[in-house]
């Protein structure tokens, strides 16, 4: 009986498969009548696709050509592509209009379905069928003025995009409606607080329309005029000098694919390096951790590793005292907004300007929370060489301090607490170890030098009386410490030669005042809103479609929730991003990579080249422009021109900065010209629960608002086209999945389907995740559990179980389980790194006014994160940001980068407001426009990093950049022997008034 049933089932399955395959040509033709995108794909078809079961009982083939398709029964002897199914049941699973991808992946991985033949036509057919499945899909909302309202999200917030006749009309922040989830509410000191029902986005987000239509857009593939791939002489010395000529996509892709093959065959594994900007366009598909990482793994590349830049001191310093390695040594922010409003009396903003940095990836929503704090009478103090935007907006006491001396001020404050007995003695006794040794250091018992306010005065420029006043105020009031733009992390004083000393002091100070007790914590009111963190949606570092379980956070959630094929990079060679120029110019380099699993792993060195691997001879550069963001970036120019770097390809949107050093340029489209899906500020896998920077968690469908300009393509499409030429296109796209199909797969992997349908989400474009209900008891505060001697109760994914020396969740992840004033992890390294001793000694910066060549270069240059662009994104593309005088100043029709000088420094140099000046040292010269401003302390040149323009001009002083790449001036020296962090704020310069002739301007390059 069972045998008969199985036979009948097999017969029924065979009939069903025949019916599907027979109807398929008709379905395709009907879809082509309804949809132009299907017609466009179908018009390119000139192939035969054959389907059959392994026993050939079911077999049909489709013939495509002339923009049409015909179906035939039986087999053809030489199909372009043949898809063989194990049996009819397997065929039904694969041909389902709504396939279960966990089943599909199993069928592919275990060869139950085998596709053979042309990779090109396999991918083409898959894209055709995906396009057919999208027919009738509607997205966007029609408006009364004839526009269609789409949605997108940048790394500065979510936007409505209004389009008419395939042209962007305007963009606006997303205002929430009554249909969206309610906002949260907090009670503090008898008052009720609830956020505005709107998104407040960053300036670079609002400039996105102008960036799409920028005159610097790359709209066709380009080849450097004197680059000939068939010649052994690649004229590498002319990179950045030569012009470009347009070429076809076929020629460009053929050259890139051919060079990839040549590198692997000529030199072997490791010959190809892949580099990316730290922050490309937002998305879960087209972002580097997703599409590019999958591409890299299939090609096999030397990986460009990066250290936690902007968090240097926290990673290399603070974590040794208390753990939190997976957060790069920064504390979390759970419950701190409510705790601060309810209990704090003072907020100290130390090298912290959240009004400029907006947290990370968020807009300016934290401004309202700081307004609440002032309304409640909470005092503000600002310690910074610059009376920054946060200080200007909210007021409070400003304590100007010489750059790079912050650790000295901190130690003097702690000295006062000890002398006056104004620290939390019970907390220190019960929750910490090593305090006696630390106390001896501060009092001078161990080295004969007491760290008094007078001791620090000559270093910091802060008067001893002000130190005593601040120490007394801090000890008297329950104090929140905002250290860096994020409140604990994100730039500031941690990006200096002694940045690790400063961050170590920050956590030591908090431990002395009872870190975790009511009103005593880290934060600047930029984070910690009571949004629901249990609702799952993948963040950009969760791996996307990469399938990489090693170099992304995919293994935590994403890989198990969105079935997709695993990928792995078999090349283990790696170069730290900041050491790439050294690797090329010297042929070798070494350093220490970021490994957040434990503090001890940061002492594991790497060497390049790695035994058994080839040195790098090709660079695949993806997005961004690093001449404005990496240290001593003139060395990167030399590396690009080195003859050993035989081929450079750049995949970019705009012709800017280092893109001009490529041999082949591939034009990528903007986020408004392709589909993607993401959540605002969700960088899970990089910064856990970063969405608490927002007032409302918001998942956004990144609509394809307009067709790609010119011949530009999505990053995913470009990678797919290259890999198809290498026979890997079907593997990369998993049978031809297009970007919208991947977006749906990502949507289905999240918690969204339980709240909104794919159809509704695609049309509306966003979903607001409701906040935690008031009855959920979410008032768990960061470190409160530790202060009260309880098991950890915050929803923080760190630390890993093996990091606990006692019971899991009990105590900190230090050797003692307590806060360590003298870290065991650093004691075990002995004197191996004298700039990072176990006792947190104050060591003057190796390039500061007390230690550098101050007679020749008497100004300390500070280049902090820019307030208007996001690194280089938004800058120097003719966009709206460039029109802001606080960002660039236009002189004689040219928009110059801005440097700020104190009036005394300007007067002594004969410099007037908005003059052009030459900012220079022994490394380079950069022309800027000067803003003479009393908000900058004497002896400091204040600017921002991340110019996207590199525009060299030949002058009497030699070649000078007038684009604003101030990192040409900074030192590439690491912050200590074993701390591979950058130190842009340890940089001495001179500034002088500058004039150059029009003849010099014409003789650029």
């Amino acid at each position: 009986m069972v045998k008969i049933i199985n036979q009948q089932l097999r017969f029924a399955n065979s009939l069903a498969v025949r019916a599907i395959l027979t109807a398929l040509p008709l379905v395709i033709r009907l879809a082509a009548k309804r949809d132009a995108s299907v017609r466009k794909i179908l018009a390119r078809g000139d192939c035969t696709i054959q389907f059959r079961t392994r026993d050939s009982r079911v077999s049909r083939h489709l013939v495509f050509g002339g923009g049409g398709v015909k179906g035939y029964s039986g087999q053809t002897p030489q199909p372009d592509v043949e898809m063989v199914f194990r049996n009819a049941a397997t065929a039904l699973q694969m041909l389902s209009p709504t396939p279960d991808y966990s089943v599909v992946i199993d069928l592919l991985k275990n060869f139950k379905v085998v596709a053979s033949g042309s990779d090109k036509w396999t991918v083409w057919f898959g894209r055709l069928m995906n396009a057919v499945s999208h027919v009738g899909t509607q997205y966007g909302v029609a408006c009364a003025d004839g526009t269609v309202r789409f949605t997108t999200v940048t790394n500065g917030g979510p936007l409505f995009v209004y389009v008419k006749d395939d042209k962007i009309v305007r963009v606006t922040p997303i205002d929430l409606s009554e249909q969206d989830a309610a906002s949260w509410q907090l009670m503090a000191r008898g008052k009720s607080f609830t956020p505005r029902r709107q998104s407040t986005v960053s300036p670079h987000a609002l400039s996105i329309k102008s960036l799409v239509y920028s005159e610097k857009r790359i709209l066709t593939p380009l080849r450097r005029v004197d680059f000939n791939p068939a010649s052994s002489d690649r004229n590498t010395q002319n990179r950045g000098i030569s012009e470009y000529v347009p070429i076809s996509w076929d020629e460009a892709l053929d050259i890139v694919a051919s060079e990839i093959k040549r590198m692997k065959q000529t030199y072997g594994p490791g010959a190809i390096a892949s580099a990316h900007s730290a922050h490309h366009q937002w998305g879960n598909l087209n972002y580097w951790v997703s599409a590019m990482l999958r591409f890299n793994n299939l090609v096999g590349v030397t990986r460009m590793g990066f250290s936690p830049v902007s968090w240097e001191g926290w990673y290399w310093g603070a974590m040794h005292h208390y753990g939190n390695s997976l957060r790069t040594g920064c504390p979390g922010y759970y419950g701190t907004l409510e705790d601060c409003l309810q209990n704090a009396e003072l907020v100290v903003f130390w090298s912290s300007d959240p009004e400029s940095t907006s947290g990370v990836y968020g807009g300016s929503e934290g401004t309202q929370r700081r307004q609440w704090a002032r309304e409640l009478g909470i005092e503000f103090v600002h310690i910074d060489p610059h009376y920054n935007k946060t200080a200007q907006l909210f007021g409070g006491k400003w304590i100007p301090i010489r750059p790079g001396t912050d650790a000295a001020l901190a130690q003097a404050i702690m000295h006062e607490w000890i002398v006056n007995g104004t620290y939390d003695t019970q907390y220190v006794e019960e929750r910490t170890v090593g305090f006696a040794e630390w106390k001896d250091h501060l009092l001078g018992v161990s080295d004969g030098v007491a760290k008094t306010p007078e001791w620090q005065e000559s270093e910091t420029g802060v008067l001893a009386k002000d130190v005593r006043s601040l120490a007394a105020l801090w000890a008297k009031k329950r104090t929140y410490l905002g250290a860096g733009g994020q409140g604990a992390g994100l730039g500031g004083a941690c990006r200096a030669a002694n940045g690790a000393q400063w961050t170590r002091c920050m956590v030591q100070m908090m431990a002395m005042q009872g870190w975790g007790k009511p009103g005593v914590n880290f934060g600047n009111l930029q984070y910690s809103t009571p949004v629901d963190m249990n609702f799952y949606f993948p963040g950009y570092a969760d791996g996307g479609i990469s399938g990489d379980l090693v170099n992304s956070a995919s293994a935590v959630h994403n890989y198990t929730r969105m079935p997709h094929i695993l990928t792995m990079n078999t090349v283990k060679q790696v170069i730290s991003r900041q050491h790439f120029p050294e690797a090329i110019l010297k042929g070798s380099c070494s350093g220490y990579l970021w490994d957040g699993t434990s503090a001890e792993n940061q002492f594991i060195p790497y060497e390049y080249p790695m035994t058994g691997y080839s040195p790098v001879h090709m660079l695949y550069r993806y997005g961004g422009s690093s001449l404005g963001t990496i240290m001593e970036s003139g060395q990167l120019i030399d590396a690009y021109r080195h003859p050993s770097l035989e081929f450079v390809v750049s995949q970019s949107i705009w012709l800017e900065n280092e893109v001009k050093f490529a041999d082949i340029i591939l034009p990528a489209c903007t986020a408004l010209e392709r589909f993607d899906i993401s959540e605002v500020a969700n960088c899970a896998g990089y910064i856990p629960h970063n969405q608490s920077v927002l007032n409302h968690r918001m998942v956004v469908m990144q609509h394809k608002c307009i067709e790609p300009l010119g011949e530009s393509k999505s990053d995913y499409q470009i990678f797919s086209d290259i890999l198809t030429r290498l026979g890997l296109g079907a593997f990369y796209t998993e049978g031809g999945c297009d970007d919208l199909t991947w977006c749906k797969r990502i949507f289905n992997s999240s918690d969204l389907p339980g709240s909104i349908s794919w159809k509704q989400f695609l049309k509306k474009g966003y979903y607001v995740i409701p906040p935690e209900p008031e009855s959920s008891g979410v008032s768990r505060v960061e470190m409160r559990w530790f202060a009260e001697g309880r098991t950890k109760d915050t929803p923080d994914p760190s630390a890993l179980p093996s990091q606990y020396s006692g019971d899991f969740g009990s105590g900190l992840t230090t050797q003692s389980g307590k806060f360590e004033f003298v870290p065991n992890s650093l004691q075990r390294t002995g004197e191996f790194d004298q700039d990072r001793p176990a006792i947190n000694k104050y060591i003057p910066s190796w390039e500061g006014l007390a230690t550098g060549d101050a007679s020749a270069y008497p100004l300390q240059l500070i280049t902090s994160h820019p307030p208007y662009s996001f690194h280089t994104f938004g800058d120097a593309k003719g966009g709206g940001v460039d029109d802001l005088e606080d960002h660039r100043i236009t002189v004689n029709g040219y928009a110059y980068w801005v440097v700020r000088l104190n009036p005394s420094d300007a007067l002594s140099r004969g410099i007037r407001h908005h003059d052009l000046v030459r900012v220079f040292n022994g490394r380079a010269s950069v022309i800027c426009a000067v803003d003479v401003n009393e908000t900058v302390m004497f002896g400091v040149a204040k600017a921002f990093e991340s110019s996207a323009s590199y525009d060299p001009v030949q002058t009497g002083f030699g070649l000078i950049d007038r684009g604003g790449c101030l990192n040409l001036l900074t030192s590439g020296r690491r912050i200590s022997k074993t701390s591979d962090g950058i130190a842009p704020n340890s940089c001495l310069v001179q500034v002088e008034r500058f004039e150059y002739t029009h003849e010099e301007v014409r003789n650029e390059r």
Side-chain angles (χ1 to χ4, degrees):
M1 184 66 180
V2 173
K3 184 177 180 180
I4 295 173
I5 292 174
N6 288 337
Q7 288 175 341
Q8 291 175 337
L9 184 60
R10 286 194 294 271
F11 180 70
N13 288 340
S14 296
L15 286 177
V17 174
R18 288 191 183 95
I20 291 171
L21 294 176
T22 301
L24 193 54
L26 177 61
V27 171
I28 294 172
R29 288 194 291 267
L30 290 174
K33 286 184 178 181
R34 295 181 58 192
D35 193 281
S37 62
V38 178
R39 291 195 297 273
K40 184 177 180 180
I41 298 173
L42 192 58
R44 296 197 295 264
D46 184 18
C47 60
T48 299
I49 312 291
Q50 182 159 283
F51 308 87
R52 67 177 177 87
T53 55
R54 194 178 295 173
D55 59 10
S56 296
R57 291 183 180 181
V58 178
S59 59
R60 285 190 69 83
H61 59 279
L62 306 182
V63 179
F64 295 89
V69 58
K70 293 182 179 180
Y72 301 92
S73 62
Q75 300 181 41
T76 184
Q78 291 185 322
D80 294 287
V81 175
E82 183 176 54
M83 186 169 290
V84 180
F85 308 99
R86 180 187 180 194
N87 51 40
T90 300
L92 285 177
Q93 291 173 311
M94 281 292 291
L95 298 173
S96 168
T98 56
D100 181 340
Y101 280 97
S102 63
V103 174
V104 171
I105 299 302
D106 171 69
L107 298 178
L108 295 173
K109 288 198 303 184
N110 292 292
F111 301 97
K112 299 173 185 178
V113 177
V114 177
S116 59
S118 167
D119 199 62
K120 170 185 175 181
W121 294 117
T122 301
V123 174
W124 172 86
F125 181 71
R127 290 196 175 277
L128 174 65
M129 296 313 300
N130 277 285
V132 169
S133 72
H134 301 323
V135 171
T137 299
Q138 296 182 344
Y139 60 95
V141 177
C143 301
D145 63 354
T147 61
V148 178
R149 190 193 75 192
F150 299 112
T151 54
T152 195
V153 62
T154 74
N155 45 23
L159 297 170
F160 283 139
V161 183
Y162 296 85
V163 174
K164 188 174 184 178
D165 299 328
D166 201 38
K167 299 286 186 181
I168 300 170
V169 178
R170 63 186 180 277
V171 299
T172 66
I174 293 179
D175 291 321
L176 304 189
S177 70
E178 293 181 357
Q179 287 71 44
D180 294 318
S183 303
W184 46 264
Q185 184 178 36
L186 292 180
M187 298 296 298
R189 310 181 202 202
K191 294 186 177 183
S192 173
F193 299 100
T194 189
R196 296 184 182 92
R197 295 200 36 90
Q198 61 185 187
S199 60
T200 51
V201 301
S202 295
H204 66 270
L206 286 176
S207 71
I208 190 69
K209 174 189 172 183
S210 58
L211 300 184
V212 171
Y213 295 116
S214 167
E215 62 181 14
K216 292 195 175 183
R217 280 291 300 272
I218 306 167
L219 299 178
T220 185
L222 300 172
R223 176 178 58 79
R224 185 163 56 85
V225 292
D226 51 354
F227 168 74
N228 180 1
S231 171
S232 59
D233 184 2
R234 301 296 180 95
N235 292 308
T236 61
Q237 74 281 357
N238 292 333
R239 289 181 182 141
I241 301 173
S242 304
E243 300 297 331
Y244 290 88
V245 293
I247 58 177
S248 69
W249 265 111
D250 281 339
E251 181 180 354
L253 295 169
D254 285 345
I255 290 174
V256 174
S258 176
E259 285 293 296
I260 289 174
K261 291 179 182 177
R262 184 178 75 84
M263 292 293 159
K264 297 174 77 170
Q265 293 170 358
T266 303
Y267 298 110
I272 305 166
S274 178
H276 53 81
S277 59
H279 306 282
H280 192 43
Q281 293 189 101
W282 204 256
N284 268 280
L285 173 58
N286 286 280
Y287 198 67
W288 74 264
V289 186
S290 180
M292 183 190 186
L293 192 51
R294 188 177 182 90
F295 172 82
N296 288 348
N297 288 356
L298 296 186
V299 169
V301 301
T302 291
R303 183 170 62 88
M304 202 74 70
F306 60 96
S307 68
V309 290
S310 301
W311 283 264
E312 287 85 359
W314 300 92
Y315 177 73
W316 303 105
M319 77 158 69
H320 291 281
H321 293 273
Y322 82 108
N324 260 28
S325 57
L326 284 179
R327 284 185 174 271
T328 66
C330 297
Y333 303 100
Y334 304 105
T336 54
L337 170 61
E338 184 176 21
D339 177 57
C340 181
L341 293 177
Q342 291 177 347
N343 299 302
E345 299 166 293
L346 172 69
V347 178
V348 175
F349 293 82
W350 197 323
S351 195
S352 178
D353 185 14
E355 289 301 319
S356 289
T357 55
S358 300
V360 181
Y361 315 114
S364 55
E365 298 183 9
T367 303
Q368 186 180 18
R369 300 170 217 146
R370 286 181 283 277
Q371 290 171 337
W372 294 343
R374 294 299 270 165
E375 181 182 336
L376 291 170
I378 298 174
E379 295 183 50
F380 286 1
V381 171
H382 307 272
I383 304 173
D384 199 296
H386 177 216
Y387 191 63
N388 57 47
K389 296 182 185 301
T390 304
Q392 292 171 36
L393 179 60
F394 294 105
K397 173 68 175 178
W398 175 39
I399 300 177
I401 183 173
R402 289 179 188 142
T405 65
D406 301 80
L409 172 59
Q411 293 195 16
I413 293 172
M414 286 185 275
H415 174 277
E416 286 300 288
W417 291 344
I418 291 174
V419 169
N420 296 313
T422 52
Y423 65 96
D424 193 326
T425 55
Q426 181 180 5
Y427 185 99
V428 167
E429 183 179 347
E430 295 178 356
R431 305 282 174 240
T432 76
V433 295
F435 183 71
E437 195 172 352
W438 176 240
K439 179 179 178 180
D440 285 349
H441 168 71
L442 294 177
L443 297 179
V445 174
S446 55
D447 62 2
V449 179
K451 312 308 179 292
T452 65
E454 287 74 17
W455 163 82
Q456 65 81 50
E457 189 172 298
S458 61
E459 286 286 319
T460 69
V462 180
L463 297 178
K465 68 178 183 62
D466 291 336
V467 177
R468 289 192 168 90
S469 176
L470 176 59
L473 179 68
W474 193 326
K476 179 181 177 182
K477 295 180 178 291
R478 293 187 297 272
T479 302
Y480 260 64
L481 173 58
Q486 194 174 339
L490 183 58
C494 81
R495 307 178 88 215
N498 45 23
Q501 299 170 28
W502 174 69
T503 57
R504 293 176 67 183
C505 283
M506 294 300 99
V507 293
Q508 288 174 313
M509 293 176 85
M510 293 306 294
M512 288 183 68
Q513 291 299 331
W515 184 8
K517 289 187 174 182
V520 181
N521 224 308
F522 278 101
N524 53 19
L525 297 124
Q526 187 66 37
Y527 282 81
S528 188
T529 58
V531 292
D532 182 4
M533 290 303 180
N534 290 319
F535 189 102
Y536 173 73
F537 188 85
Y540 78 52
D542 274 337
I545 70 168
S546 69
D548 190 313
L549 303 183
V550 177
N551 299 302
S552 78
S554 181
V556 180
H557 292 294
N558 185 50
Y559 187 69
T560 58
R561 296 193 60 142
M562 187 183 75
H564 54 294
I565 296 175
L566 180 71
T567 69
M568 183 180 296
N569 185 6
T570 58
V571 176
K572 302 306 178 185
Q573 181 166 268
V574 64
I575 303 173
S576 179
R577 175 175 177 254
Q578 59 264 37
H579 290 300
F580 178 74
E582 179 185 353
I584 299 301
L585 296 173
K586 296 183 179 179
S588 63
C589 69
S590 61
Y592 298 83
L593 296 172
W594 171 27
D595 184 337
T597 56
S598 75
E600 290 72 24
N601 282 347
Q602 64 181 228
F603 294 103
I604 301 174
Y606 77 89
E607 297 283 340
Y608 165 86
M610 184 181 287
T611 302
Y613 290 100
S614 165
V616 167
H617 295 282
M618 169 182 166
L619 177 65
Y620 197 116
R621 186 72 174 89
Y622 171 67
S625 39
S626 292
L627 293 177
T629 59
I630 69 167
M631 305 306 98
E632 202 167 345
S633 52
Q635 293 189 29
L636 181 59
I637 295 172
D638 295 337
Y640 271 121
R641 291 173 176 163
H642 198 271
S644 69
L645 196 60
E646 299 175 13
F647 181 61
V648 177
V649 56
S650 180
Q651 184 170 312
S652 188
I653 302 169
W654 300 280
L655 191 60
E656 59 181 352
N657 206 303
E658 71 181 291
V659 176
K660 300 176 184 178
F661 290 81
D663 303 314
I664 297 293
I665 300 175
L666 306 178
C669 66
T670 68
L672 275 63
E673 299 161 88
R674 40 79 166 167
F675 286 107
D676 214 317
I677 184 173
S678 57
E679 181 184 356
V680 183
N682 184 355
C683 45
Y686 182 57
I687 305 176
H689 295 161
N690 191 69
Q691 307 96 311
S692 72
V693 70
L694 303 170
N695 287 331
H696 305 89
R697 279 192 71 183
M698 190 181 301
V699 182
V700 179
M701 183 67 204
Q702 295 179 236
H703 287 137
K704 182 181 180 182
C705 305
I706 60 173
E707 288 299 315
L709 298 188
E711 298 177 48
S712 62
K713 299 181 180 183
S714 73
D715 294 307
Y716 172 72
Q717 181 66 55
I718 295 171
F719 291 134
S720 171
D721 289 347
I722 294 172
L723 289 171
T724 296
R725 281 166 165 75
L726 298 173
L728 291 167
F731 191 107
Y732 181 78
T733 63
E734 295 195 358
C737 283
D738 59 18
D739 49 4
L740 189 55
T741 300
W742 277 113
C743 288
K744 186 177 181 181
R745 291 175 68 175
I746 294 167
F747 172 91
N748 287 331
S749 75
S750 73
D751 286 344
L752 282 173
S755 301
I756 186 172
S757 70
W758 167 250
K759 182 178 179 181
Q760 291 171 318
F761 178 74
L762 189 59
K763 183 174 179 58
K764 181 179 181 180
Y766 71 95
Y767 176 75
V768 178
I769 299 168
E772 286 274 13
E774 293 182 14
S775 60
S776 65
V778 294
S779 58
R780 300 183 294 269
V781 180
E782 179 73 8
M783 292 293 280
R784 180 69 50 77
W785 60 273
F786 179 70
E788 296 178 352
R790 298 183 283 104
T791 302
K792 184 175 182 178
D793 61 359
T794 52
D796 195 329
S798 58
L800 298 175
S802 63
Q803 293 300 294
Y804 288 95
S805 59
D807 294 340
F808 177 69
S810 239
L812 302 177
T813 53
T814 57
Q815 182 175 327
S816 65
K818 296 184 177 183
F819 184 93
E820 297 184 350
F821 278 96
V822 183
N824 280 290
S825 55
L826 293 180
Q827 284 183 308
R828 288 195 298 274
T829 66
E831 295 300 316
F832 182 59
D833 188 346
Q834 295 185 3
D835 288 334
R836 194 162 49 143
I839 293 286
N840 186 23
K841 300 175 182 178
Y842 172 68
I843 304 172
S845 167
W846 33 254
E847 189 166 327
L849 295 176
T851 55
D853 188 2
S855 59
Y857 309 114
L859 296 174
Q860 188 89 44
L861 176 66
I862 300 176
T863 50
S864 54
H865 290 85
Y868 302 109
S869 61
F870 189 82
H871 294 291
T872 61
F873 187 84
D875 174 57
K877 301 169 182 63
V881 165
D882 292 342
D883 296 332
L884 300 174
E885 195 173 88
D886 206 30
H887 180 72
R888 283 185 180 268
I889 294 174
T890 300
V891 179
N892 297 327
Y894 190 91
Y896 289 91
W897 203 248
V898 183
V899 64
R900 292 156 184 83
L901 288 181
N902 181 276
S904 297
D905 286 318
L907 181 64
S908 65
R909 292 166 172 78
I911 295 171
R912 295 177 299 180
H913 192 55
H914 285 197
D915 275 351
L916 293 184
V917 295
R918 182 169 74 103
V919 186
F920 66 97
N921 58 19
R923 302 182 187 100
S925 294
V926 180
I927 304 171
C928 294
V930 69
D931 176 4
V932 179
N933 199 312
E934 292 183 349
T935 63
V936 181
M937 69 179 292
F938 178 79
V940 170
K942 175 67 172 67
F944 297 102
E945 50 100 14
S946 296
S947 168
S949 172
Y950 173 67
D951 190 6
V953 179
Q954 194 61 248
T955 73
F957 297 99
L959 202 64
I960 299 180
D961 171 45
R962 67 170 181 170
C965 284
L966 289 173
N967 270 319
L968 293 165
L969 305 170
T970 57
S971 171
R973 179 173 171 176
R974 66 192 69 172
I975 62 177
S976 79
K977 181 179 179 181
T978 60
S979 305
D980 222 355
I982 59 175
N985 291 330
S986 292
C987 177
L988 294 179
V989 299
Q990 177 60 289
V991 177
E992 63 182 22
R993 193 169 181 273
F994 180 78
E995 291 183 7
Y996 57 85
T997 66
H998 293 291
E999 185 66 25
E1000 286 174 322
V1001 175
R1002 287 194 294 272
N1003 289 334
E1004 297 174 22
R1005 302 180 187 275

